[in-house]
Amino acid sequence: MIVILDFGSQYSELIARRVREAKVFSQVISHDTPVEKIISEYNAKGIILSGGPSSSYDEGAPQCDPALFTCGIPILGICYGMQLMVRNLGGSVERSDKHEYGSAELHVDISDHLLSQVSSPTDIWMSHGDSVKRLPDGFVCLGHTANCEYAAIRDKDRSLYALQFHPEVTHTPEGTQILHNFLYDICGLAGDWTAASVLEEAVKKIREEVGDQKVLCALSGGVDSTVVSALLHRAIGDNLTCMFIDQGFMRKGEAESIEKTFASKFNINLIYVNAAERFFEQVKGVTDPELKRKRIGETFIRVFEEETSKLKADIPFLAQGTLYSDVIESAGVGASKTAVKIKSHHNVGGLPEDMQFKIIEPVRMLFKDEVRKLGLELGVPEEIVHRQPFPGPGLAIRIIGEVTPERVAILQNADQIVLEEVKAAGLYREIWQSFAVLIPIQTVGVMGDQRTYEHTIAVRAVNSIDAMTAQWAKLPYELLDKISSRINNEVSGINRVVYDISSKPPATIEWE
């Protein structure tokens, strides 16, 4: 595998994705991880040092283990990672007179190894205010730009390579080639991390951890938990029991649909529990999004524990469809130390400390698109694999403020219209997520010559690959007009519809 030492770059997870797209497993870890752990625990065959917002010469700037540069493992430093490498090995880095933010042209001076098969000049993406002024002994320059003398460097004998620009972003068109050169030619990796190999390894790990014990899988009916249930069934067969807890915050008719789907398409034992009244009681009066998520997360666990105690079996494990993006946003175990908690995903930051189960999360280190590929490898039907993501807390985090049965009913009706019209327009598979949000702010309107004072629905549609970043979808005006017209005419309590045109960042996909 490849480990990415995270120095706080906004692109650290994107580097991991680019490496995985090259069929090499990668993981983002803390910048100060000791070399011994990188070798023994991660068995890394290559190391990438990410960029970061600090200057390498600042007091308190993040540092790596100094032994990193003499461990013999090939290293690629990117931006801050390059500057850190240079300073650690005796070179110098200074504030640049001419900063570079945005597109630039790289002129290749030496085209073997890292820059093999890279055009000269080629477009690259720069984002730096510091520059290398003097190379350490043993380093040579591989490429330069008009404002950067050392845009790419190497010390071939020590397998140390560095770039001042970002090869992981799409604005560097030949960045993929550069990363391939590092992974295949320099690190000597085979590129054999595929859905089939992930499946084989996951089944092996589950069997090693679980043995002949039983597992309860928390099933939501979404892509992640469905793939996890299919994976567990492949690994442990009848020792798996799935439990679907209807918390009252599902889409309209979805609870019934999930029961029907698992009965007809999967030979898996499914227990249905209607706990809506209990969940509504737990979020009554709650308006803070973090508290809402934590209340829902804890209630899920308590219901699972109680329902499991009714079964005539010892079930020590609870399986969840936690993704790598959930871990990163919740700053949970598996995220780097520099990860900032954006929000507590109910299955990560919302879990109680005193729960009876041992949690098992087979897809914890995978992104959404990787889980979809795994699902197809397992034979999960395409209509399930390609479902749009739906949050574990359900519509509760798409209602701003307090969650009540009345507000859920309003949002269910509006959300159903959004999905129906997106599907009718043939855009459901093209869009990452499309849904409605209830904003409990009343505005004045007029219906049938009468004054109204009703709530607002926000329509949200985004395009993404892994939910780490997202762009708002440019839906056709005709589609937006139809959605707005239907919601205003068909959903009682709504007299205004707005469209959310915020991307991630600065916004998140969900409103809470």
Side-chain angles (χ1 to χ4, degrees):
M1 70 179 294
I2 292 288
V3 296
I4 296 129
L5 300 192
D6 182 18
F7 292 92
S9 171
Q10 61 179 318
Y11 298 131
S12 294
E13 283 72 39
L14 184 56
I15 298 171
R17 287 204 49 76
R18 293 291 177 259
V19 173
R20 292 179 180 208
E21 287 168 3
K23 298 182 180 179
V24 174
F25 182 64
S26 63
Q27 185 175 342
V28 179
I29 63 176
S30 182
H31 60 85
D32 57 358
T33 304
V35 168
E36 292 81 1
K37 186 174 183 178
I38 292 174
I39 295 172
S40 62
E41 184 172 323
Y42 293 100
N43 192 27
K45 303 304 180 186
I47 300 168
I48 297 178
L49 311 181
S50 83
S54 302
S55 290
S56 58
Y57 48 76
D58 284 348
E59 184 177 351
Q63 301 293 321
C64 61
D65 185 342
L68 201 68
F69 302 109
T70 57
C71 69
I73 300 174
I75 298 175
L76 174 64
I78 297 176
C79 200
Y80 178 86
M82 172 182 182
Q83 296 161 13
L84 185 70
M85 179 188 294
V86 166
R87 281 181 55 80
N88 268 268
L89 295 173
S92 64
V93 176
E94 298 177 6
R95 191 71 178 167
S96 178
D97 294 333
K98 296 181 179 179
H99 303 170
E100 285 186 305
Y101 298 101
S103 185
E105 276 195 344
L106 174 71
H107 297 269
V108 177
D109 300 316
I110 300 177
S111 61
D112 63 337
H113 286 82
L114 189 62
L115 300 185
S116 176
Q117 301 182 56
V118 174
S119 307
S120 183
T122 185
D123 291 335
I124 58 173
W125 188 258
M126 287 284 200
S127 181
H128 69 105
D130 298 333
S131 293
V132 173
K133 296 301 181 184
R134 179 171 52 82
L135 294 178
D137 292 341
F139 278 81
V140 297
C141 178
L142 300 179
H144 67 277
T145 71
N147 294 328
C148 183
E149 183 179 2
Y150 303 115
I153 61 174
R154 77 157 190 228
D155 181 333
K156 187 175 179 180
D157 293 340
R158 289 184 283 185
S159 290
L160 302 177
Y161 298 81
L163 303 169
Q164 184 57 72
F165 57 92
H166 291 273
E168 70 274 20
V169 301
T170 56
H171 305 292
T172 301
E174 296 189 77
T176 299
Q177 178 63 52
I178 295 171
L179 289 173
H180 277 219
N181 291 340
F182 177 71
L183 298 172
Y184 297 142
D185 299 341
I186 295 170
C187 297
L189 296 170
D192 54 4
W193 190 71
T194 62
S197 67
V198 169
L199 174 56
E200 181 181 356
E201 182 68 17
V203 167
K204 178 183 176 183
K205 286 184 177 180
I206 291 169
R207 288 173 177 168
E208 288 174 352
E209 183 173 2
V210 174
D212 60 356
Q213 299 180 90
K214 296 184 181 298
V215 177
L216 182 68
C217 180
L219 182 69
S220 70
V223 178
D224 311 324
S225 63
T226 301
V227 171
V228 165
S229 66
L231 174 59
L232 286 164
H233 195 248
R234 174 76 64 90
I236 62 174
D238 292 340
N239 279 339
L240 170 68
T241 297
C242 290
M243 185 177 290
F244 169 65
I245 296 176
D246 183 359
Q247 84 289 57
F249 311 140
M250 302 299 290
R251 294 187 183 104
K252 191 172 183 177
E254 190 155 35
E256 296 80 5
S257 175
I258 289 170
E259 274 197 287
K260 183 179 179 181
T261 297
F262 266 75
S264 61
K265 296 185 180 296
F266 298 98
N267 187 27
I268 298 175
N269 181 31
L270 174 66
I271 298 172
Y272 172 80
V273 178
N274 188 338
E277 186 175 338
R278 181 168 177 176
F279 276 87
F280 275 114
E281 184 62 32
Q282 288 299 313
V283 297
K284 185 177 181 180
V286 176
T287 59
D288 178 74
E290 276 293 288
L291 181 58
K292 192 186 293 184
R293 285 174 174 270
K294 289 180 181 296
R295 288 274 184 92
I296 293 170
E298 180 170 1
T299 306
F300 263 118
I301 293 298
R302 297 310 176 208
V303 173
F304 275 120
E305 289 174 342
E306 293 168 14
E307 292 298 325
T308 304
S309 67
K310 299 176 184 178
L311 302 176
K312 296 179 180 179
D314 178 26
I315 305 181
F317 293 96
L318 174 65
Q320 297 188 138
T322 306
L323 300 183
Y324 196 25
S325 53
D326 299 336
V327 174
I328 293 166
E329 286 198 333
S330 301
V333 177
S336 77
K337 286 183 181 178
T338 53
V340 176
K341 184 169 77 172
I342 307 301
K343 55 190 175 186
S344 296
H345 287 262
H346 79 288
N347 53 346
V348 182
L351 298 179
E353 294 181 2
D354 61 341
M355 61 184 173
Q356 301 170 14
F357 293 107
K358 181 178 180 182
I359 298 296
I360 180 171
E361 299 169 314
V363 297
R364 183 184 180 89
M365 298 311 296
L366 300 182
F367 288 103
K368 174 74 76 172
D369 61 312
E370 295 165 345
V371 171
R372 294 190 199 277
K373 292 176 183 176
L374 179 61
L376 293 174
E377 188 72 23
L378 282 160
V380 177
E382 284 203 20
E383 62 266 26
I384 296 178
V385 169
H386 292 293
R387 285 190 66 189
Q388 291 184 359
F390 187 68
L395 299 179
I397 58 169
R398 292 177 180 173
I399 296 173
I400 309 305
E402 185 180 7
V403 180
T404 66
E406 295 75 22
R407 288 180 174 177
V408 169
I410 290 172
L411 184 55
Q412 283 178 330
N413 291 327
D415 189 70
Q416 184 178 39
I417 290 170
V418 172
L419 291 180
E420 285 176 356
E421 293 303 330
V422 168
K423 288 177 180 178
L427 296 174
Y428 185 79
R429 287 279 294 271
E430 292 183 25
I431 297 171
W432 173 265
Q433 240 170 316
S434 51
F435 55 91
V437 178
L438 176 61
I439 310 173
I441 298 175
Q442 292 174 285
T443 66
V444 174
V446 57
M447 291 183 175
D449 297 326
Q450 296 293 318
R451 177 186 186 273
T452 61
Y453 194 54
E454 305 286 8
H455 295 307
T456 301
I457 286 289
V459 176
R460 179 81 159 137
V462 298
N463 292 315
S464 182
I465 296 175
D466 51 26
M468 295 307 302
T469 61
Q471 293 289 327
W472 64 276
K474 281 70 174 177
L475 297 184
Y477 288 156
E478 295 79 5
L479 174 57
L480 291 173
D481 182 47
K482 196 167 186 179
I483 290 172
S484 175
S485 178
R486 284 195 61 191
I487 291 175
N488 280 317
N489 283 309
E490 299 175 28
V491 181
S492 178
I494 301 298
N495 68 355
R496 190 177 299 271
V497 176
V498 299
Y499 189 52
D500 183 350
I501 60 169
S502 305
S503 293
K504 176 185 180 181
T508 55
I509 295 176
E510 299 291 345
W511 275 46
E512 289 195 336

